[in-house]
Amino acid sequence: MDRRILFALEVMNRDCSQPLKVSHVAAQIGLSRSRFEHIFNEQTGQTFTSRLRQIRLDKAKTLLTDSTLRIKEIAHLCGYLNPTTFCRDFKVLFQQTPSGYRRGTFGQQTARSVKQ
């Protein structure tokens, strides 16, 4: 994979809680926005926005499993300014709400600990 795209992915993973813009990341690696978007899509099979959303929501899954933070707090930590948008995006990607995911995850952890 192109080293510039690898760097962009590092930035996205490291700074996913920040309001990242395609043009800002493109400038960091010395490409125009359109060229960056083309190379990024070609190399990853996703748009910048889709990959950033996936990174943020994967982080949210971890926080939902490993913390007792409120959904609103998790949304903010994952770069969402609006908790409603966060919940909608989460449901689209994972076919369940964040609270439903948390209930299911905690239920699975409880069932596992009972079996042991």
Side-chain angles (χ1 to χ4, degrees):
M1 186 175 284
D2 187 305
R3 64 178 170 72
R4 297 170 296 185
I5 301 305
L6 289 172
F7 177 77
L9 290 168
E10 278 181 39
V11 169
M12 293 166 77
N13 279 294
R14 182 187 67 226
D15 299 337
C16 70
S17 63
Q18 303 302 312
L20 290 174
K21 296 190 185 295
V22 177
S23 55
H24 177 72
V25 176
Q28 284 186 323
I29 59 175
L31 292 173
S32 70
R33 178 188 171 144
S34 60
R35 184 69 184 140
F36 169 69
E37 286 183 304
H38 175 78
I39 295 171
F40 189 90
N41 192 313
E42 183 178 76
Q43 300 251 328
T44 66
Q46 291 180 292
T47 65
F48 176 87
T49 305
S50 294
R51 176 56 74 95
L52 182 58
R53 184 180 306 118
Q54 180 183 354
I55 290 167
R56 286 175 168 166
L57 295 174
D58 285 340
K59 178 180 179 179
K61 280 176 74 173
T62 300
L63 290 171
L64 287 164
T65 302
D66 298 342
S67 77
T68 57
L69 294 170
R70 295 173 43 204
I71 302 294
K72 185 176 175 178
E73 295 169 313
I74 291 173
H76 180 73
L77 288 171
C78 294
Y80 280 86
L81 300 176
N82 184 332
T84 303
T85 304
F86 166 71
C87 290
R88 184 193 66 224
D89 286 355
F90 193 94
K91 188 169 183 176
V92 166
L93 189 62
F94 301 118
Q95 289 77 52
Q96 58 185 326
T97 63
S99 56
Y101 177 80
R102 174 176 268 170
R103 278 192 305 272
T105 301
F106 284 142
Q108 291 171 2
Q109 288 175 354
T110 303
R112 274 189 236 127
S113 62
V114 169
K115 288 181 182 177
Q116 293 175 354

